[in-house]
Amino acid sequence: MAGVSSGNASADKDAKSVQRKKTSGFWERKIGGRRGEISVSKDGKIVYVHNWVDINELSDKRTIKAEKIIFCKDAGIIVDYDDETLYHSRLWSAPRIMELEVEEGNPFLYEKDGMLIQRAGVGLDNDHVMEQETLLLCNPGKKGMIKVPKSVQIIDNCAFLGCSLITSVFLPASVETVGNAAFGKMQSCVSIQADEDNQYYDSRDGVLYGKALGAREYPHIAAYPAGKKDAVYEKAPEYIEEIQEGAFFGAGHLREVYLPSRVRFIRDAAFQKCKNLRKVAVKNKKRISVVEGDVFEDCPRLKEWVKEKGKL
């Protein structure tokens, strides 16, 4: 899965190296080595995407100064959901990007209000078709309130992760799946709202909750806005049974979290990079059956937390 920079240059370099190797292996394994590429203008300010490119290869050491990405007419995006990587921004080596553009006539992608979206029913080949319209990523320079287009059905893993200038997000009724850490480390975001007609998600006090429909088997906390100022979170509905992967990722103001008694599963990286988090407690610890790896990674102040089998 994904992650932002750890602040350790050596560690980040190693992580990127591992990721590139895995990505390369994916192409060789799945599509016989056929692949697209990115190129960069002489001044380093524009990135061009040609043909089908893995989503993790949209930025590299050449794109540090880039301000715009142009997806050419033949450009498409491959996402390898079997690849295990760190949670990170999709454009982690292109932090200055302010604009995304998709050339007219591209049958695979379109851009809307700073969001890159892959159309439903298209893909590199029959093995890599996205059956539903998927929001892949957002321009990291996007500011203020953002509304996901009404045709989008899936918000991909890490799609908005690290978009630190967005203040709120509104999901239309069409959204059926919110990916892992999709809204992680959005330091200015205080609210993630779902349309009242959405059958899969609802919101309370700016926190996004998912129902036991679609891709998730249990009612769950899907996303907590990382910019929310509350130091204590204790308002989760009692029916919640699962904390989604990366749900609280980068929530820097949280100090204490109290989870309801029906919680059974705390997924990978659920509280990763919550720098001020000191305590995570569950009302009925005996119900906890799964606490996955890296749940509390990079939570340096944590003193009391849910361990294996719910023991504190």
Side-chain angles (χ1 to χ4, degrees):
M1 296 299 308
V4 288
S5 171
S6 66
N8 182 317
S10 177
D12 290 341
K13 183 178 179 181
D14 290 343
K16 293 179 185 179
S17 176
V18 170
Q19 184 181 44
R20 283 194 291 271
K21 290 177 182 177
K22 288 182 177 180
T23 299
S24 177
F26 163 72
W27 286 97
E28 294 172 2
R29 182 173 72 254
K30 296 288 183 69
I31 56 177
R34 292 181 292 114
R35 62 190 300 169
E37 63 178 0
I38 66 169
S39 59
V40 182
S41 61
K42 290 184 178 180
D43 62 5
K45 292 187 177 181
I46 301 178
V47 178
Y48 299 91
V49 181
H50 314 271
N51 215 315
W52 288 83
V53 174
D54 186 279
I55 196 167
N56 291 314
E57 294 190 339
L58 290 175
S59 64
D60 58 30
K61 63 183 180 180
R62 298 172 293 165
T63 65
I64 295 297
K65 296 181 180 180
E67 298 175 358
K68 181 178 181 178
I69 301 180
I70 297 177
F71 296 86
C72 300
K73 288 183 180 181
D74 62 350
I77 300 297
I78 285 284
V79 182
D80 180 10
Y81 293 106
D82 294 327
D83 187 19
E84 294 182 1
T85 59
L86 300 172
Y87 288 96
H88 63 85
S89 165
R90 293 306 194 188
L91 299 173
W92 66 346
S93 292
R96 300 183 184 181
I97 294 295
M98 298 296 293
E99 183 180 358
L100 305 177
E101 177 184 325
V102 177
E103 287 188 346
E104 186 176 352
N106 186 308
F108 312 117
L109 303 169
Y110 73 92
E111 182 273 342
K112 178 73 172 178
D113 296 333
M115 292 168 277
L116 181 68
I117 298 160
Q118 190 135 303
R119 302 179 190 276
V122 301
L124 176 68
D125 54 35
N126 290 336
D127 294 328
H128 305 96
V129 173
M130 287 191 172
E131 299 293 346
Q132 297 173 295
E133 190 160 298
T134 302
L135 197 164
L136 297 171
L137 59 86
C138 182
N139 162 14
K142 186 69 177 176
K143 299 179 181 180
M145 181 184 75
I146 195 164
K147 291 185 177 182
V148 172
K150 292 183 179 180
S151 56
V152 167
Q153 296 167 281
I154 297 175
I155 299 176
D156 205 25
N157 298 341
C158 306
F160 290 88
L161 193 149
C163 291
S164 60
L165 301 177
I166 292 175
T167 56
S168 64
V169 181
F170 182 81
L171 278 57
S174 60
V175 171
E176 299 177 14
T177 302
V178 172
N180 302 333
F183 302 105
K185 208 178 182 184
M186 297 174 66
Q187 296 168 344
S188 299
C189 185
V190 296
S191 176
I192 304 169
Q193 296 286 342
D195 188 287
E196 61 181 10
D197 292 328
N198 190 298
Q199 298 179 26
Y200 297 86
Y201 293 93
D202 59 17
S203 305
R204 298 188 185 187
D205 197 29
V207 180
L208 187 67
Y209 300 101
K211 303 172 185 178
L213 296 170
R216 310 294 299 203
E217 186 176 354
Y218 306 99
H220 56 283
I221 300 175
Y224 181 94
K228 198 171 175 61
K229 303 294 185 182
D230 297 353
V232 178
Y233 171 73
E234 54 184 351
K235 298 179 180 179
E238 283 298 321
Y239 59 77
I240 292 296
E241 296 183 45
E242 181 181 28
I243 315 302
Q244 184 171 333
E245 295 91 333
F248 290 84
F249 192 104
H253 297 282
L254 275 178
R255 295 190 175 202
E256 297 181 4
V257 172
Y258 297 90
L259 299 174
S261 58
R262 293 188 181 182
V263 169
R264 300 166 57 194
F265 310 99
I266 303 179
R267 300 301 185 185
D268 183 57
F271 295 95
Q272 192 172 111
K273 294 188 182 296
C274 292
K275 300 289 189 178
N276 289 304
L277 188 63
R278 291 162 168 78
K279 179 180 181 179
V280 177
V282 180
K283 290 182 179 178
N284 185 357
K285 297 189 287 293
K286 293 182 179 180
R287 279 188 63 88
I288 297 289
S289 59
V290 175
V291 179
E292 293 182 348
D294 299 328
V295 166
F296 302 109
E297 183 177 346
D298 203 5
C299 297
R301 299 186 179 184
L302 193 62
K303 296 181 179 179
E304 187 177 351
W305 64 93
V306 178
K307 296 183 180 179
E308 54 193 68
K309 296 299 181 182
K311 297 177 182 178
L312 283 178

